[in-house]
Amino acid sequence: MAVLYMYTCKGYRLLHQNVKVKMSSKARRVLARKEHREYGRKLVVVDIENVIGGAAINKLDVAAAKRRLLAAISIGEYDQIVIGTSHVGLMPVGCVWPGLRYVIRSGRNGADLALLDVLDEDIARRFRYVVVVSGDGIFTDAVAALGREGVAVTVVGTRSSMSRRLVLAASHVIYLDDDTSTPDLQAKEAA
């Protein structure tokens, strides 16, 4: 006899009790898909240049940014990550984070504009949670629109580069330089 629990984003959930359970890899994948349908997918859009503080021109900077992000947010098996960069940063980003979706646009706010195009792709129908890794105010209208459609939006960035309007539009804020993962409720209450 076994008691089987599944770890979810809301903690452990009882699946079966007093039942003999032998889990194959296929059964684990089926349970993961069921969890995905029940709790929803997460879209993570990353302005890598905002995290680094400049162009992503070498793999060491990108690797350090990846470590900081993965320490601050959890990424599930069915979550989608989209990284925005200029043409200069594509090789370092692709070497450090292979197999993801990359959006490339050069010029002033190029990565931001490419990520904004992603946020216009009927996100509310496909994702329950969105994480925007950038502090740029250019994302404020898109974050507010997603919030109005019922999508929980978390903004991740550094305090020094975080737009005040973006903080007010987001459901939650995570500051990379503080290593805090709690909602910035004081900013919401001040509004």
Side-chain angles (χ1 to χ4, degrees):
M1 297 299 173
V3 178
L4 179 63
Y5 289 92
M6 175 188 288
Y7 182 74
T8 67
C9 59
K10 296 182 180 179
Y12 285 96
R13 182 171 58 123
L14 179 66
L15 287 180
H16 301 286
Q17 189 170 14
N18 297 327
V19 177
K20 239 182 190 178
V21 178
K22 186 173 182 179
M23 298 276 292
S24 67
S25 61
K26 182 178 179 182
R28 281 193 294 275
R29 284 193 305 272
V30 168
L31 285 175
R33 281 194 295 270
K34 181 180 178 189
E35 177 183 291
H36 151 68
R37 283 192 302 273
E38 187 173 332
Y39 295 106
R41 285 177 72 194
K42 180 176 14 182
L43 171 67
V44 181
V45 293
V46 180
D47 178 3
I48 193 71
E49 295 166 353
N50 189 272
V51 177
I52 291 173
I57 56 175
N58 68 55
K59 291 189 290 188
L60 294 176
D61 289 342
V62 175
K66 179 181 178 181
R67 280 191 303 275
R68 287 176 72 191
L69 289 178
L70 294 179
I73 59 174
S74 63
I75 307 289
E77 181 181 355
Y78 290 100
D79 297 338
Q80 182 176 356
I81 303 174
V82 180
I83 300 180
T85 186
S86 69
H87 69 283
V88 174
L90 180 59
M91 285 300 285
V93 169
C95 290
V96 173
W97 255 333
L100 303 179
R101 179 178 173 194
Y102 311 105
V103 290
I104 299 104
R105 189 175 300 172
S106 297
R108 182 170 170 81
N109 294 325
D112 298 340
L113 295 171
L115 290 171
L116 280 173
D117 290 344
V118 170
L119 292 175
D120 286 337
E121 296 175 352
D122 196 19
I123 297 302
R125 185 179 60 78
R126 298 182 305 148
F127 296 95
R128 192 171 197 177
Y129 307 100
V130 172
V131 178
V132 176
V133 183
S134 179
D136 293 343
I138 196 169
F139 293 103
T140 302
D141 293 335
V143 167
L146 287 169
R148 282 191 302 272
E149 294 182 41
V151 177
V153 182
T154 300
V155 174
V156 179
T158 59
R159 282 191 187 274
S160 61
S161 67
M162 188 68 71
S163 163
R164 177 80 172 144
R165 290 181 56 230
L166 186 59
V167 168
L168 294 174
S171 305
H172 300 92
V173 176
I174 298 174
Y175 292 106
L176 290 173
D177 42 8
D178 287 351
D179 292 328
T180 58
S181 58
T182 58
D184 191 359
L185 296 177
Q186 293 173 343
K188 290 275 187 189
E189 292 171 357

